[in-house]
């Protein structure tokens, strides 16, 4: 798209743009239906129009399908089971950067709890049911059965702003996926197992895992896909300065 067309383009159907954004949710059950490579490439092409500081475009994407996807699933699920059986092994699987705060405070801890117990409640997982919790958490490492797994990395030499840029790129992917009838689930759960992930995808030593993402066609009959998180009203997070 030329600069001229970018400036002059008019969005003829803004409702469809809004619908793509508002219908995005963390899908936790996918169909095995393959996603054509051409579709994945087209989504990534569109998403690459995301903004980045001084146009550095710091994101890198590793697309896993077929045997490569299945191989990573097997490795990380085995490690996840090993940590369950021997909690001391958790020290070997620490995330490379802090995604969450070291100490939770309100209102964030309240929203986190609402999210967790809302999901578990829907699935009939009660507090203290460690086996069911473990199995549900491990669904992350199976990409929730999605046929496509995406791993996002940035070079460690970059600053924290690269994470912001990568987030904008990922949002574009999720919205572009909706425009094509697909769903996604961004996943920070992979971060603890970054060493296994990076070795599997052959990432360079200078790369850092940002997070993963599942991509595919949603299983509309799955109970878990009825779970949708609330959003705060605009007035709660906005201040207008006139």
């Amino acid at each position: 798209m030329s600069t001229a067309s970018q400036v002059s383009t008019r969005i003829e159907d803004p409702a469809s743009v809004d619908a793509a954004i508002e219908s995005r949710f963390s899908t936790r059950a996918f169909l095995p239906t393959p996603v054509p490579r051409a579709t994945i490439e087209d989504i990534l092409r569109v998403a690459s129009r995301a903004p980045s500081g001084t146009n550095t475009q710091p994101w890198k994407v590793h697309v896993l399908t077929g045997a490569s996807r299945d191989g990573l699933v097997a490795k990380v699920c085995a490690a996840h089971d090993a940590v369950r059986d021997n909690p001391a092994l958790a020290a070997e699987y620490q995330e490379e950067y802090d995604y969450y705060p070291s100490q939770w405070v309100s209102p964030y801890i309240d929203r986190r709890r609402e999210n967790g117990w809302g999901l578990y409640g829907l699935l009939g997982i009660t507090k203290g049911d460690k086996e069911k919790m473990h199995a549900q958490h491990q669904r992350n490492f199976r990409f929730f059965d999605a046929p496509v797994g995406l791993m996002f990395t940035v070079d460690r030499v970059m600053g924290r702003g690269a994470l912001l840029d990568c987030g904008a790129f990922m949002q574009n992917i999720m919205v572009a996926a909706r425009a094509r009838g697909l769903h996604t689930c961004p996943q920070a759960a992979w971060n603890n197992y970054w060493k296994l992930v990076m070795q599997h995808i052959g990432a360079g030593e200078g790369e850092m895992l940002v997070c993963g993402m599942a991509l595919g066609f949603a299983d509309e009959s799955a109970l878990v896909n009825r779970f949708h998180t609330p959003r705060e009203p605009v007035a709660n997070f906005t201040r207008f300065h006139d």
Side-chain angles (χ1 to χ4, degrees), residues 8 19 31 37 47 75 108 117 122 164 184-185 209 227 232:
S8 61
L31 298 172
R37 178 167 176 169
K75 291 175 185 176
Y108 313 112
W117 293 119
L122 179 66
L164 177 65
T184 56
C185 184
L209 180 67
F227 180 69
E232 291 292 307

Side-chain angles (χ1 to χ4, degrees), residues 90-143:
E92 298 181 19
Y93 301 108
Q94 299 294 316
E95 59 187 4
E96 195 167 11
Y97 71 95
D98 294 332
Y99 186 92
Y100 294 112
S102 57
Q103 183 175 355
W104 287 91
V105 298
S106 291
Y108 313 112
I109 185 60
D110 308 307
R111 295 171 187 163
R112 178 180 173 87
R113 287 170 175 161
E114 178 185 32
N115 181 74
W117 293 119
L119 174 62
Y120 284 178
L122 179 66
L123 298 176
I125 302 174
T126 58
K127 187 175 183 179
D129 194 338
K130 294 183 179 180
E131 283 304 309
K132 286 186 178 180
M133 288 182 180
H134 177 80
Q136 180 58 35
H137 187 62
Q138 192 169 102
R139 294 280 296 147
N140 279 280
F141 308 128
R142 300 181 185 279
F143 291 107

Side-chain angles (χ1 to χ4, degrees), residues 69-221:
R69 172 209 172 278
D70 296 346
L72 179 62
V73 167
K75 291 175 185 176
V76 177
C77 284
H80 186 234
D81 285 343
V83 171
R84 174 200 57 193
D85 298 337
N86 181 8
L89 292 176
E92 298 181 19
Y93 301 108
Q94 299 294 316
E95 59 187 4
E96 195 167 11
Y97 71 95
D98 294 332
Y99 186 92
Y100 294 112
S102 57
Q103 183 175 355
W104 287 91
V105 298
S106 291
Y108 313 112
I109 185 60
D110 308 307
R111 295 171 187 163
R112 178 180 173 87
R113 287 170 175 161
E114 178 185 32
N115 181 74
W117 293 119
L119 174 62
Y120 284 178
L122 179 66
L123 298 176
I125 302 174
T126 58
K127 187 175 183 179
D129 194 338
K130 294 183 179 180
E131 283 304 309
K132 286 186 178 180
M133 288 182 180
H134 177 80
Q136 180 58 35
H137 187 62
Q138 192 169 102
R139 294 280 296 147
N140 279 280
F141 308 128
R142 300 181 185 279
F143 291 107
F144 299 108
D145 297 328
V148 181
L150 306 175
M151 290 295 166
F152 300 91
T153 70
V154 296
D155 286 329
R156 290 194 185 93
V157 70
M158 300 300 288
R160 285 184 291 179
L163 297 176
L164 177 65
D165 298 338
C166 193
F169 174 61
M170 289 174 58
Q171 176 69 3
N172 273 5
I173 289 174
M174 291 184 277
V175 174
R178 289 301 304 120
R180 290 159 178 79
L182 297 162
H183 277 282
T184 56
C185 184
Q187 301 171 281
W190 293 95
N191 292 15
N192 287 81
Y193 298 95
W194 66 270
K195 291 180 181 178
L196 293 176
V197 173
M198 299 298 266
Q199 182 181 43
H200 182 82
I201 63 179
E205 292 184 3
E207 288 181 64
M208 181 182 78
L209 180 67
V210 177
C211 68
M213 182 184 292
L215 170 70
F217 293 94
D219 181 351
E220 296 182 9
S221 67

